[in-house]
Amino acid sequence: MLFDDDAELEDEFRSVAFASDDVRAMERPLLEDGVPLMRMAASATAMTARVMMARAHVSPDAARITLLAGGGDNGGDGLFAAAELASDGVDVTVVAVGRSLHEAGFAALRAAGGEVIVLDADAEIPGVDGPQDAQEAADLFEEAVSAAESSHLVIDAMTGIGLHGELRGIPAQVAAALGEHGQLPDVIATPCGAGRDGFPLVLAVDAPSGVGIDDGTLPGPYIPADVTITFGALKPCDLLPPAAYVCGQQVLVDFGFDTEPFLPAVENVTQRTAAQSIRLPHVNDSKYSRGVVGLVTGSDEYPGAAVLSSRAAVLSNVGMIRYVGPRIAQDMVLARVPEAVMGKGHVQSWVVGSGVPSGPDEGDMDAQRRRIAALLAHYSPDEDGSEELPPVVVDAGALDLLPENCVPQVLITPHAGELARLLSERDEEVSVQDVLAEPLNWATRAWELTGATVLLKGAVTVVVGDDGDGNPHVFVSGSGPAWLATAGAGDVLAGVIGAVLAQNAETLVRLPDQMAVFAAVGAYIHGLAAGMASESFQRGSCPPVVYDGESPLEFFHAMQPRRIEPGSVLDGTLGHPIVAGEVADCIPGVFGTLIGMYDDNDGDDADDGVAPGDGDGDGDVAEVPVFSRGVDSDDAAGGDDEADGDADVVLDVDRDYTDEELDALADALFARYEEEERH
């Protein structure tokens, strides 16, 4: 149900990130009350490590784990988790990267039999000597790296959320040896939870070491994670690119923080937010009341952009579109969108610039550029009545036609290259690579310089707008697959956003600070349509899995990649290539799914997005079991309801399991993996 309070709180928990200082402030009252947050974090970390090993078909008695431990509380989380795993029979080696270790965590680790390698010559760790000279330091470092590289799992607990700036000293050396050194990630896009071939897997504790916690950057050496477990609340690095790309699958542990006194640093658009942002049909509607989008897109040189932007807009839940452009583009638009009206008239939003060539500025200016320049001149705050103008989406070739300063209902939609060019024209020394490395920083800078709402396109799109008090309000959307990187996709995006703005025109008159969220919703819908078109489960970002220590098998299932039933038209997770027109064709299906959330007959409020092959629009599809032999909920030893020789993996959520039954479930699960190893 769309307006279910509990479901809304769950969505908010999984989609809102807070600055690291605020998260520490949230922790403080709980710590003062004696809540054992470290033990809770350690227990969740240990369980997540078990799940990662289980889905990699590694049983506890065969597993090798290396813990990279710093001297702070993050290292303490890791030490207690490592002690718990060592007690399970796992071979655990701890690499101490600082001058100390958390005292109680270290004692627990030693009591469980874990080995320790100390890398700092100045370390004071009871009972363990550090290197005595340079040669021994080099030998111990090589031993530590070798231990990590030969492990099944590396638990990264070097720094947590307390570090600002890049790693230094021994942690930087370890990260450079095991991970990357500031390079932007360039790996094949796979669905969340799909994992990868080869070891070691990496589990980051609270955040991967080396990422910019509050700005999402990768300022120096860092260790990419397969899974990141974070505690209490999401941090900006969990949502912001490029750091979000190296967090892997995310696990969020609920500590019961009181977040009410704190403002979010970043908000991720959810399916619920998108559904609440679209206009439902009214019984007394006319085509005008449902929203009218005006488009000044395409040109003699690029008429296809006019078709793509117009078709996307007309399919995005509005009553009418008006198109203004050259004759060749008009003919093409009418051929694909016969409902379109040619020429100017009253509109609730404008979309300009898609497929319009950039420059020159004066005498030989393209006719479309002249039209756009005349329109945008009214959107300067110095113009009377500018605050009452309909919102306008400014794309591609129109970006250099912006007034020096804009009102917030101007939305610019550059990719990294276009943003770098726009900023350079305003005397900022910035390259495309700079924008890719610091998207939040440069999108915010563009907002400051222009006054416009800024949507920076990418696998995770970043939107920066005014919060109503002159401060930046940041949203992200990563709902689309990597297949969306295709010619014309930006034209479709512009049309979708223009339609979302048009159907919310009345709201924007009263609440102009909602420009950013509606822009982000448009990007979200665009991404869902691409996922539907490509039949792919891969996304730029995925909602975190909420850890549930009381239901280990449910947690295990939640960590598995989503798959399609074998034998269907689609069998897999990655999908297939698409073109921009196919994205536009899927837009009505996305709106249908979002509108379906208003029905009170679903019962599934999970924000999973629109699933390929999803017939009822609830985001669910039949899933291929990740393993074929496991534990039946009716028989802890493993039953076979279908008499096919394979035990079913089903958790009876209405049944209260005893500790002994849970142990039997886990034993049977790992027994299956051991059997596979033998075969």
Side-chain angles (χ1 to χ4, degrees):
M1 188 169 63
L2 186 60
F3 296 101
D4 180 273
D5 289 342
D6 291 339
E8 288 200 67
L9 288 173
E10 175 84 358
D11 269 4
E12 182 178 334
F13 180 53
R14 300 170 71 205
S15 62
V16 174
F18 297 89
S20 55
D21 286 344
D22 288 341
V23 172
R24 282 191 288 270
M26 295 174 197
E27 290 178 343
R28 198 168 299 121
L30 298 180
L31 293 171
E32 291 172 352
D33 288 342
V35 178
L37 296 184
M38 183 173 290
R39 294 286 190 165
M40 293 162 63
S43 178
T45 301
M47 179 59 73
T48 303
R50 293 187 188 102
V51 166
M52 293 177 69
M53 291 189 295
R55 68 183 185 182
H57 297 194
V58 179
S59 61
D61 58 356
R64 298 184 304 277
I65 291 180
T66 296
L67 168 69
L68 308 176
D73 288 345
N74 187 252
D77 296 338
L79 285 165
F80 279 117
E84 189 173 328
L85 293 165
S87 298
D88 291 345
V90 177
D91 180 359
V92 175
T93 299
V94 174
V95 176
V97 299
R99 297 182 179 180
S100 63
L101 287 173
H102 186 276
E103 185 176 347
F106 176 61
L109 184 280
R110 292 306 294 268
E115 298 295 324
V116 181
I117 300 173
V118 177
L119 299 183
D120 195 321
D122 296 323
E124 296 181 357
I125 299 174
V128 187
D129 293 329
Q132 302 302 306
D133 54 41
Q135 183 58 54
E136 187 176 4
D139 292 343
L140 285 172
F141 186 85
E142 183 177 347
E143 180 184 350
V145 171
S146 177
E149 291 178 335
S150 62
S151 294
H152 294 104
L153 178 68
V154 171
I155 300 177
D156 172 15
M158 289 200 296
T159 57
I161 66 171
L163 179 72
H164 294 281
E166 65 180 277
L167 293 173
R168 299 175 181 82
I170 292 173
Q173 296 170 26
V174 171
L178 297 176
E180 304 291 342
H181 196 296
Q183 300 98 323
L184 296 177
D186 184 18
V187 296
I188 293 174
T190 57
C192 286
R196 59 183 173 85
D197 295 329
F199 297 105
L201 302 172
V202 176
L203 170 58
V205 179
D206 226 2
S209 292
V211 305
I213 302 300
D214 289 330
D215 61 9
T217 59
L218 301 171
Y222 65 92
I223 301 179
D226 295 280
V227 176
T228 296
I229 182 169
T230 193
F231 310 114
L234 293 174
K235 290 77 181 174
C237 62
D238 296 316
L239 301 180
L240 289 171
Y245 304 144
V246 305
C247 289
Q249 188 177 22
Q250 296 179 351
V251 175
L252 178 56
V253 183
D254 190 355
F255 280 173
F257 284 167
D258 178 12
T259 60
E260 189 66 29
F262 302 93
L263 291 176
V266 185
E267 299 180 52
N268 192 15
V269 177
T270 67
Q271 187 167 321
R272 187 179 309 278
T273 303
Q276 293 173 346
S277 300
I278 62 176
R279 186 184 187 278
L280 297 181
H282 298 180
V283 293
N284 61 342
D285 264 341
S286 69
K287 60 188 177 185
Y288 302 108
S289 63
R290 292 190 59 217
V292 181
V293 181
L295 299 107
V296 188
T297 58
S299 59
D300 288 329
E301 189 173 355
Y302 304 110
V307 176
L308 290 169
S309 57
S310 297
R311 183 158 174 77
V314 81
L315 292 173
S316 295
N317 194 38
V318 292
M320 179 179 170
I321 69 166
R322 299 182 185 274
Y323 177 73
V324 180
R327 173 59 61 181
I328 184 173
Q330 289 185 30
D331 292 343
M332 291 176 64
V333 168
L334 285 171
R336 292 299 305 277
V337 189
E339 304 86 354
V341 175
M342 299 296 111
K344 297 179 181 179
H346 181 70
V347 300
Q348 275 79 46
S349 74
W350 285 103
V351 177
V352 303
S354 305
V356 175
S358 56
D361 289 334
E362 297 299 336
D364 295 328
M365 184 183 289
D366 176 90
Q368 288 289 72
R369 285 177 60 79
R370 289 197 297 272
R371 295 183 182 106
I372 295 168
L375 174 65
L376 292 181
H378 297 291
Y379 283 83
S380 168
D382 298 329
E383 290 285 316
D384 292 338
S386 60
E387 68 280 355
E388 299 175 1
L389 291 172
V392 56
V393 180
V394 182
D395 189 33
L399 290 168
D400 63 337
L401 298 176
L402 290 172
E404 187 65 24
N405 294 293
C406 303
V407 289
Q409 61 263 42
V410 175
L411 171 70
I412 61 174
T413 60
H415 55 58
E418 291 167 338
L419 186 65
R421 186 161 55 249
L422 182 149
L423 289 168
S424 296
E425 290 169 353
R426 294 176 182 245
D427 299 324
E428 293 284 326
E429 294 185 8
V430 56
S431 67
V432 176
Q433 200 65 16
D434 292 333
V435 174
L436 292 172
E438 300 179 87
L440 174 64
N441 174 55
W442 292 112
T444 303
R445 186 61 181 144
W447 168 75
E448 293 170 342
L449 288 173
T450 66
T453 304
V454 179
L455 183 147
L456 175 57
K457 293 181 281 197
V460 174
T461 290
V462 178
V463 183
V464 181
D466 196 302
D467 68 352
D469 294 319
N471 302 309
H473 199 175
V474 181
F475 293 88
V476 295
S477 176
S479 61
W483 299 116
L484 190 49
T486 187
D491 307 328
V492 174
L493 173 63
V496 173
I497 296 175
V500 172
L501 296 177
Q503 61 198 268
N504 286 285
E506 292 183 8
T507 299
L508 287 169
V509 170
R510 292 181 287 105
L511 302 169
D513 58 310
Q514 297 299 297
M515 270 292 293
V517 67
F518 290 139
V521 164
Y524 181 85
I525 291 170
H526 181 243
L528 290 187
M532 187 179 289
S534 65
E535 300 180 295
S536 174
F537 281 132
Q538 189 271 324
R539 299 288 184 266
S541 63
C542 297
V545 175
V546 177
Y547 174 75
D548 185 354
E550 296 183 359
S551 301
L553 283 185
E554 276 197 278
F555 176 54
F556 184 96
H557 284 304
M559 291 284 286
Q560 307 314 315
R562 302 176 68 198
R563 299 185 68 86
I564 294 291
E565 187 72 36
S568 64
V569 175
L570 174 68
D571 183 4
T573 60
L574 286 176
H576 55 76
I578 53 175
V579 296
E582 294 174 304
V583 178
D585 291 342
C586 287
I587 290 170
V590 174
F591 274 91
T593 295
L594 297 176
I595 291 167
M597 291 184 69
Y598 284 85
D599 296 336
D600 189 15
N601 59 6
D602 190 334
D604 179 8
D605 288 300
D607 180 32
D608 296 324
V610 179
D614 178 15
D616 60 4
D618 66 353
D620 292 337
V621 294
E623 297 180 356
V624 176
V626 179
F627 43 83
S628 58
R629 296 181 183 86
V631 183
D632 190 287
S633 60
D634 298 323
D635 182 359
D640 180 15
D641 291 339
E642 300 177 8
D644 59 1
D646 292 342
D648 307 313
V649 183
V650 181
L651 179 68
D652 185 350
V653 296
D654 295 322
R655 175 177 170 185
D656 291 327
Y657 289 95
T658 66
D659 290 342
E660 292 76 12
E661 287 173 325
L662 286 174
D663 289 341
L665 289 169
D667 290 344
L669 182 63
F670 286 119
R672 185 269 177 187
Y673 295 128
E674 290 174 339
E675 181 181 345
E676 278 207 356
E677 290 293 318
R678 288 195 296 271
H679 290 291

